[in-house]
Amino acid sequence: MQTLSLTGANGVSEIYIENDLLSHAGKAIGDVFSPSRVHIVTDSTVAPLYLSQLTQQFDLPVSSTVIPAGEEHKRLSTVEGIYHDLLAAGMTRKDLIIALGGGVVGDITGFAAATFLRGVSLCQIPTTLLAQVDSSVGGKTGVDLDEGKNLVGAFYQPRLVLIDPEVIQTLPDATFADGMAEVVKYGYIANPAILDMVSQPDYKTHIGEVIYECVKIKRDVVAIDEHDTGLRMILNFGHTIGHAAEKLGNYTELTHGQAVAIGMVAAMRLAALRGDTDLSAPLIALLQQLGLPTELTHDREAIFHALLSDKKKFGSTVNFILVREPGRAEITPIESETLHEYILKL
């Protein structure tokens, strides 16, 4: 087992990475928590695969909520439904909420745990590559509004994150590729060795090592800037335009990973418009090799107006993450008027 620890404002988040970890997750959870009861939140895709397996590992009362799968359900109304289930189950502040699923489940459940009774202990068990390398770690939780993505949320660290690389071996190719967009992001912002690793034809046989390297980067960044006011912004490489594209597609046309892939290419081209070396060609080649889209198809004017509601907008500027060379990203404030000109040229 590989382990990492992340010290946040509200304590330490332990991260375990091990093949077949899901089969004995109950024991790992029991070593960390002492709840009277457990409530598991999962979705309609994951529940038939793993909910029963996890539930049977506990010798205490276990209840559950199964939400519909899909980003379009990442709404306050879904969180309210979870609150009602928690109350019906008799959950108290000393009990435990488990998020079992991908990034949407993790974000929604994390927000519910942060706000129900002003905070209940949380364990994340991510079941997609995207969630394992990114969203399950670091304590960002939230839901979407019509105006934009993740506009309502909280920073709330899980006390425990259990990552089982074996569960992603059976993911559909498109879902696996979705997570690879975040993997490529980590290679470009911090560790180019990751790019070399995933360029190999057999990279999936070493996916546990890839996951560890990505999680380690996120752990290190979040430990310095837990609340996303400085260094942590580099984790948003590709996300500004990506989130705008997701919004314009009503969160159904593009998956998050597909949007990030398109957003990273757009960010590279934007950097070139500012006079930097154009690094888009090798990025495009790698993303296409991994089965991800690379071209922005939405109207550029609409993209610009959609990104103005992004959380990374401060006054009249938007903080863009630009990569100067693989492994080195910089936070670059761009005036809205200037950004408008760049976006129209993408």
Side-chain angles (χ1 to χ4, degrees):
M1 179 187 292
Q2 294 175 300
T3 64
L4 293 163
S5 295
L6 169 59
T7 302
N10 296 319
V12 177
S13 181
E14 300 290 353
I15 306 159
Y16 301 163
I17 305 172
E18 182 183 39
N19 284 330
D20 199 34
L21 181 54
L22 187 58
S23 70
H24 54 276
K27 182 181 184 308
I29 291 168
D31 290 341
V32 174
F33 302 97
S34 300
S36 296
R37 60 185 313 120
V38 169
H39 190 88
I40 302 169
V41 180
T42 188
D43 68 21
S44 54
T45 298
V46 176
L49 300 172
Y50 303 120
L51 179 56
S52 177
Q53 178 186 359
L54 180 60
T55 299
Q56 293 172 8
Q57 296 178 39
F58 294 99
D59 294 324
L60 66 166
V62 179
S63 52
S64 62
T65 299
V66 179
I67 64 176
E71 179 82 29
E72 64 270 28
H73 300 291
K74 191 175 159 184
R75 297 285 175 160
L76 284 168
S77 56
T78 304
V79 178
E80 184 176 357
I82 295 171
Y83 292 152
H84 290 306
D85 288 350
L86 293 170
L87 288 168
M91 293 286 288
T92 68
R93 292 185 69 184
K94 67 178 181 179
D95 294 324
L96 173 65
I97 298 174
I98 299 175
L100 174 67
V104 171
V105 168
D107 283 359
I108 292 174
T109 308
F111 183 58
T115 50
F116 182 71
L117 304 179
R118 296 191 176 92
V120 178
S121 293
L122 172 67
C123 172
Q124 291 272 6
I125 306 181
T127 59
T128 65
L129 178 60
L130 190 151
Q132 290 187 354
V133 300
D134 191 71
S135 60
S136 67
V137 176
K140 274 190 177 180
T141 74
V143 295
D144 305 333
L145 299 178
D146 290 342
E147 291 83 355
K149 189 176 171 75
N150 295 327
L151 292 179
V152 176
F155 291 97
Y156 192 69
Q157 296 292 348
R159 178 69 182 83
L160 181 65
V161 182
L162 301 179
I163 297 174
D164 182 351
E166 283 196 6
V167 304
I168 63 171
Q169 299 295 344
T170 56
L171 289 175
D173 289 344
T175 307
F176 193 96
D178 203 42
M180 288 305 297
E182 294 285 359
V183 171
V184 170
K185 176 196 77 175
Y186 282 110
Y188 270 98
I189 66 170
N191 183 0
I194 292 173
L195 304 177
D196 295 333
M197 292 167 66
V198 301
S199 296
Q200 304 305 312
D202 65 343
Y203 77 90
K204 287 187 179 181
T205 63
H206 308 290
I207 198 65
E209 183 180 352
V210 172
I211 292 169
Y212 176 82
E213 291 300 326
C214 293
V215 172
K216 184 174 181 293
I217 292 168
K218 186 158 192 181
R219 187 278 309 268
D220 292 346
V221 170
V222 174
I224 295 171
D225 176 28
E226 183 176 4
H227 293 121
D228 206 14
T229 57
L231 179 64
R232 186 168 182 169
M233 291 184 190
I234 69 169
L235 300 175
N236 293 320
F237 175 51
H239 286 58
T240 305
I241 290 177
H243 282 175
E246 280 188 271
K247 176 184 175 182
L248 292 176
N250 295 314
Y251 304 106
T252 58
E253 290 181 12
L254 294 170
T255 64
H256 179 66
Q258 289 172 337
V260 168
I262 291 168
M264 287 190 292
V265 173
M268 287 295 200
R269 288 173 170 162
L270 192 151
L273 289 172
R274 288 172 51 85
D276 292 347
T277 301
D278 189 349
L279 301 176
S280 60
L283 171 60
I284 290 170
L286 178 56
L287 292 173
Q288 291 178 343
Q289 177 183 324
L290 295 170
L292 288 160
T294 57
E295 297 302 317
L296 190 62
T297 59
H298 292 91
D299 176 77
R300 303 312 193 254
E301 190 74 39
I303 285 288
F304 172 71
H305 286 289
L307 66 79
L308 288 182
S309 65
D310 194 277
K311 300 183 301 301
K312 294 172 283 296
K313 183 174 184 292
F314 296 87
S316 63
T317 66
V318 176
N319 282 330
F320 250 83
I321 310 307
L322 302 181
V323 171
R324 308 303 187 187
E325 60 183 353
R328 184 167 70 92
E330 294 180 5
I331 303 165
T332 306
I334 302 177
E335 288 288 335
S336 295
E337 185 175 333
T338 303
L339 180 59
H340 188 203
E341 297 174 5
Y342 290 146
I343 296 293
L344 294 179
K345 294 177 182 178
L346 290 177

